[in-house]
Amino acid sequence: MHETLFFICGGILAASAVLVSVFGLKNDNFPGKAMPAVIVWFAIFAVATGTFAVLHGKDESKEHDAEYSKASEELHKADTSGPFEEAELEAAEAESGESEGEPGAEESSEAEAENEESGEEANAELEGEGGEQLEGEAGATAAGGNPELGAVVFSENCSTCHGATGHGGNGGPDLTTMPLAQSEEGAIQQVTNGGGGMPPFGGTLSEEEIENVAAYVAQEITHGE
Ligand code: HEC
């Protein structure tokens, strides 16, 4: 805006100078009486051109300010949002595009996965049953009783007949030679029900105490299962 006015005023000023000098060269009397008018004319346009030059300078600095703040804003954006967000957006778009693009393929692969899963589940169930049975047997020795606690129960209830170490001597047989002493299950059965001259302990000892002492017999005395 001010730039245009600057050029107009400057143009008029320059044109006036040319006209005045041409006119002056051709007419000896010039400027003569017209001298004040010529001076005012030049003064007006000189001042106007100068003013608009200054105003235009201000305009430009404002524009520069605006441009600078815009640029710094963009820089700031680039810093905070960064290229990663864009990349994420692109990735998300790509994903949605894929799933939309091949619905059939995905469904079928899902179905396959389900089939596989159910198959695996069936296998796992079969294995689980077998495993449970095995564990049930093993659990009687491993997880069933606590042989350390069983040792206490043994010395208080069994050593009177089977001896302190279970090798017999006081009317009870050497347990290392007895078939039911070889496994925890067998020992539990014998201790709970008694038999063959041995009293039953099902009424006097708790289930846990019987399990513990059976574990002690099978693991520490006979070193059975
Ligand atoms: C009153 C004496 C007596 C006491 C107490 C006693 N037993 Fe016996 N126990 C016997 C006799 C007798 C036998 C032999 C039974 C037989 O020949 O069938 C026996 C057998 C056993 C057997 C082997 C059974 C078989 O047929 O293989 C085990 C195991 C056993 N006792 C564990 C224990 C434990 C554990 C205790 C303590 C909780 C205990 N007994 C307490 C007298 C005793």
Side-chain angles (χ1 to χ4, degrees):
M1 167 63 176
H2 290 132
E3 197 181 4
T4 320
L5 289 171
F6 164 75
F7 280 124
I8 290 170
C9 295
I12 290 170
L13 192 66
S16 306
V18 172
L19 280 175
V20 166
S21 32
V22 170
F23 208 72
L25 283 174
K26 286 193 173 175
N27 301 283
D28 289 339
N29 291 335
F30 187 80
K33 282 178 187 173
M35 188 65 166
V38 170
I39 287 171
V40 169
W41 178 263
F42 274 96
I44 287 171
F45 283 98
V47 168
T49 307
T51 308
F52 289 130
V54 170
L55 287 175
H56 170 62
K58 277 186 188 171
D59 276 358
E60 273 206 338
S61 68
K62 266 187 208 167
E63 264 170 43
H64 285 163
D65 279 355
E67 265 172 39
Y68 177 78
S69 62
K70 216 184 177 187
S72 63
E73 242 176 58
E74 268 167 27
L75 273 174
H76 187 65
K77 264 193 210 164
D79 269 354
T80 50
S81 61
F84 294 109
E85 235 173 58
E86 273 169 37
E88 267 172 40
L89 277 175
E90 268 172 39
E93 271 170 34
E95 262 176 45
S96 63
E98 264 176 40
S99 60
E100 274 168 30
E102 298 172 279
E106 227 172 70
E107 263 172 43
S108 67
S109 68
E110 260 174 45
E112 265 172 43
E114 265 173 42
N115 281 342
E116 267 172 41
E117 258 176 49
S118 58
E120 270 168 37
E121 263 173 44
N123 280 348
E125 268 172 39
L126 284 174
E127 273 169 32
E129 272 171 35
E132 264 170 46
Q133 274 178 6
L134 285 175
E135 249 181 53
E137 274 171 34
T141 47
N146 182 329
E148 279 169 35
L149 294 175
V152 179
V153 177
F154 190 88
S155 70
E156 284 172 1
N157 299 281
C158 323
S159 57
T160 44
C161 294
H162 291 289
T165 57
H167 290 281
N170 304 323
D174 180 355
L175 289 177
T176 57
T177 65
M178 300 303 286
L180 289 178
Q182 306 306 311
S183 75
E184 211 166 311
E185 274 184 350
I188 288 172
Q189 192 189 309
Q190 175 68 19
V191 173
T192 307
N193 304 316
M198 176 175 149
F201 288 84
T204 51
L205 292 177
S206 74
E207 223 173 276
E208 204 186 329
E209 284 171 319
I210 292 173
E211 273 175 22
N212 290 341
V213 79
Y216 174 70
V217 169
Q219 290 175 37
E220 303 297 327
I221 296 173
T222 66
H223 300 287
E225 286 174 52

